[in-house]
Amino acid sequence: MSIKYKIILEYIKDLSIETPDPQSLVMAREYISKYSLMIDITSKALKNKMIEVYTKLIYEDKNKNKKQEARSKKSHFEMIYSTVVELEEEKINPEILKKFILCDLQIEIYPKIERSFFEIIKLSGFPDIQIKTKIDFNKLYNSKKN
């Protein structure tokens, strides 16, 4: 069963780009290929059958890099993208709603979120960044289901 819905609003709710100084930028450019993308999806019920879904992307270096550790100045990129959705049904099975939030809705909105996020990173001094991580939202949903 799929949920009938309408996207009311989409916007960047919060954005954080941290590059402490020029040396950090040069170092981060050298190690940007080692950075990894993490995603966190949460939601909040609103009035009138609406729900706000937060898709949070974090792109950072999780590896221990001695050169950067010595300075402890790594670049950090984080964005929270908010999507407000109006649901057509009154009562929705919680498991179906969870699948909608973690999987079905994300499959629709994520390409735009990813494009925006990485374009901002490029404009923040990383013009050669390549997107390597592809998120499988069905797998993400199934991992949270168990």
Side-chain angles (χ1 to χ4, degrees), residues 41-102:
I41 302 164
T42 56
S43 62
K44 177 173 84 172
L46 303 174
K47 295 178 181 178
N48 302 324
K49 300 187 292 183
M50 290 193 292
I51 188 165
E52 186 169 16
V53 178
Y54 307 109
T55 306
K56 180 178 182 179
L57 300 180
I58 302 169
Y59 196 63
E60 64 184 356
D61 185 3
K62 289 290 188 184
N63 297 320
K64 300 286 183 202
N65 177 321
K66 289 183 182 179
K67 281 186 186 177
Q68 280 185 309
E69 278 292 309
R71 291 190 196 122
S72 69
K73 295 179 179 177
K74 296 181 178 182
S75 289
H76 175 85
F77 311 94
E78 188 172 313
M79 181 173 87
I80 300 173
Y81 192 86
S82 177
T83 306
V84 178
V85 177
E86 181 178 31
L87 305 172
E88 289 186 16
E89 293 101 33
E90 283 290 333
K91 298 282 183 190
I92 300 173
N93 175 305
E95 198 54 43
I96 291 172
L97 185 60
K98 184 177 179 180
K99 181 179 185 301
F100 168 73
I101 291 168
L102 293 176

Side-chain angles (χ1 to χ4, degrees), residues 133-146:
T133 307
K134 291 295 173 203
I135 298 172
D136 182 340
F137 290 103
N138 286 302
K139 185 176 176 183
L140 178 65
Y141 164 71
N142 287 326
S143 72
K144 297 224 179 202
K145 191 166 98 170
N146 301 325

